[in-house]
Amino acid sequence: MLIKIFLTIIFLCITVAVGIYSRKQARSVDGFVLGGRSVGPWLTAFAYGTSYFSAVVFVGYAGQFGWKYGMSASWIGIGNAIIGSLLAWIVLGRRTKAMTQHIQSRTMPDFFGTRYNDEWLRVVASVIAFVFLIPYTAGVYMGISRLFEMGFGIPYEYCAMIMALLTAVYVILGGYKATAINDFIQGIIMLFGITTVIAVVLHNQGGLAEAYNKMFEATPTAHDLEDKSGLFSNFQAGDFASWFGPNPLSLLGVVVLTSLGTWGLPQMVGKFYSITDEAAIKRGTIISTIFALVVSGGCYFLGGFGRLFPEPAFNPEKHKYAYDSIVPSMLETLPDVLIALVVLLVLSASMSTLASLVLTSSSTMTLDLIYRDKKSLDGEVEGGEIDDQVAEKIERRKVVVMRVLIVFFIALSLMIALNPPQFIAQLMGISWGALAGAFLAPFMLGLYWKGVTRASVWACFVWGVGLTVVNMMMGNSILNPIDCGAVAMVGGFVVVFIVSLITKKMDTEKVENIFKCYNN
């Protein structure tokens, strides 16, 4: 216990120290939100990876999907590396950096408002982002708190509150630069931690070959057969150790949600806004992909052996397991030093994701709702012009508002985490489904295709949010939250394409001016 407490205190002191160190660069809006658009490839790549993978993945997704799909769950990690990282950087990185800098966009809602010349798109997008980032944040709280409860014996509620407080401190102090530096430190811990834990867990099972043989012999339990999803209805012997598991189609839906979904999440795409230049994007692509392959691939590979450990508690009324307890139960038998490492691993992943989420949410609300009307700022000065002194005053005011909203967002998501309505994976599915379903297609196509219309963006917002909310209100009776999110994302491209063909085109001159950013 002393070792665990000592290592955790050191880690937390470092994160706060980084916040204090970075506070001078967080005085302006660009400095607080984007790190001055001068963050290098290593920091950006690690910030992308650590924001991507949190306790939601390590505890919630790895446990639930490892139990359902066995060793084939590793495909989710591979998909995260190839689609969610490699292709995301290749397809979005350069164009996002160039266009957002050209149109002076600081957030994703700001991109929609400026790219499609519609202030109401900016407003609605910021509301969608704020509302649906909350359940994702609550899921992160739940994941880390379960691990703390297992490792330290501290009640879940206290764990969630402590983490919320510490994250708020270093984000409020240092903004994006503090978040990026801490992400790098936390990413190193994650890389070392996941490889060490996998090696020890497999060693305790007699090695990889022996663990594989045990998984080959594993069969669905009686409770599995009560699952209403039909996942195990056609189960064959050895499916939990096979290449594609008991239900390849369902597995594909998870790969799509967790991999393609990052392309439409404001906190993920925002990393491309802040990177220094194209050369840094090329290096960042390689670094981010390797990071994702090790961390995400390792998490799902580890979760795939969940059936070699005690069966989790089952709720007969909901026909569901306590999936969030699977990974903690796998780690309970580890030596204290390794449990301390696991706690730091998940704490690192979770705090980096939380920092990214709260910074994205607060900046979106401040810049795209409260201070979206630049004319109202002009009115503060006689003659309608703002001198340098007043402009600096307004910048400081915006940063103060963002810091206040960070506290509000953390408090709100903490309240949900203390009274969670769903499992971690379902919370994330709802959040990612609505956000990526609404934003992914109009954002990505808006970077490449001049023919995207304003009406098609509105239609995609309605599609992504509408499908997710209707499905949720009907008790997920149409689709489970994971599959619903995947359908919302992929369907968004169809919606934008068809509606763009039949609705009024945007002003050609304005669109051409926006796309000039790619000429260099």
Side-chain angles (χ1 to χ4, degrees), residues 179-236:
T179 301
I181 295 173
N182 271 323
D183 287 348
F184 182 76
I185 297 170
Q186 293 159 357
I188 297 295
I189 296 173
M190 290 168 66
L191 288 171
F192 178 72
I194 191 64
T195 52
T196 304
V197 169
I198 290 173
V200 174
V201 169
L202 291 181
H203 175 75
N204 291 343
Q205 290 293 324
L208 177 59
E210 181 62 24
Y212 172 81
N213 291 333
K214 291 178 181 178
M215 285 299 299
F216 188 84
E217 296 171 358
T219 57
T221 67
H223 289 149
D224 285 325
L225 300 177
E226 295 180 35
D227 190 326
K228 299 300 182 182
S229 67
L231 192 67
F232 305 101
S233 57
N234 297 313
F235 181 84
Q236 302 293 321

Side-chain angles (χ1 to χ4, degrees), residues 210-283:
E210 181 62 24
Y212 172 81
N213 291 333
K214 291 178 181 178
M215 285 299 299
F216 188 84
E217 296 171 358
T219 57
T221 67
H223 289 149
D224 285 325
L225 300 177
E226 295 180 35
D227 190 326
K228 299 300 182 182
S229 67
L231 192 67
F232 305 101
S233 57
N234 297 313
F235 181 84
Q236 302 293 321
D239 270 359
F240 290 124
S242 67
W243 278 93
F244 300 109
N247 195 321
L249 189 60
S250 178
L251 178 63
L252 178 63
V254 179
V255 173
V256 171
L257 175 75
T258 60
S259 302
L260 192 61
T262 59
W263 297 32
L265 298 180
Q267 76 275 15
M268 301 298 297
V269 175
K271 303 297 185 289
F272 301 130
Y273 287 42
S274 59
I275 199 166
T276 50
D277 50 39
E278 285 195 39
I281 291 174
K282 293 176 182 178
R283 293 195 298 272

Side-chain angles (χ1 to χ4, degrees), residues 61 66 69 79 95 102 109 155 161 212 226 228 243 315 353 407 424 427 448-449 452 477 505 509:
Y61 271 22
Y69 307 116
R95 285 183 170 255
H102 177 64
M161 288 186 281
Y212 172 81
E226 295 180 35
K228 299 300 182 182
W243 278 93
N315 186 328
T353 303
V407 175
I424 293 176
L427 283 175
Y448 281 87
W449 184 26
V452 180
S477 59
K505 306 300 180 185
E509 185 178 348

Side-chain angles (χ1 to χ4, degrees), residues 48-62:
Y48 185 91
T50 54
S51 297
Y52 194 165
F53 310 116
S54 66
V56 173
V57 172
F58 189 76
V59 178
Y61 271 22

Side-chain angles (χ1 to χ4, degrees), residues 346-370:
V346 182
L347 183 63
S348 298
S350 301
M351 289 186 69
S352 59
T353 303
L354 275 179
S356 180
L357 290 171
V358 299
L359 189 59
T360 299
S361 181
S362 65
S363 61
T364 293
M365 292 295 287
T366 302
L367 301 177
D368 301 316
L369 275 183
I370 300 174

Side-chain angles (χ1 to χ4, degrees), residues 6-23 50 148 162-187 189 343-353 355:
F6 178 70
L7 290 177
T8 305
I9 289 176
I10 290 177
F11 169 80
L12 296 176
C13 288
I14 290 173
T15 59
V16 173
V18 169
I20 295 172
Y21 167 77
S22 306
R23 69 187 187 281
T50 54
F148 254 89
I162 291 170
M163 187 175 66
L165 176 63
L166 290 169
T167 304
V169 168
Y170 85 77
V171 177
I172 288 172
L173 283 174
Y176 181 75
K177 196 62 176 285
T179 301
I181 295 173
N182 271 323
D183 287 348
F184 182 76
I185 297 170
Q186 293 159 357
I189 296 173
V343 170
L344 286 184
L345 185 163
V346 182
L347 183 63
S348 298
S350 301
M351 289 186 69
S352 59
T353 303

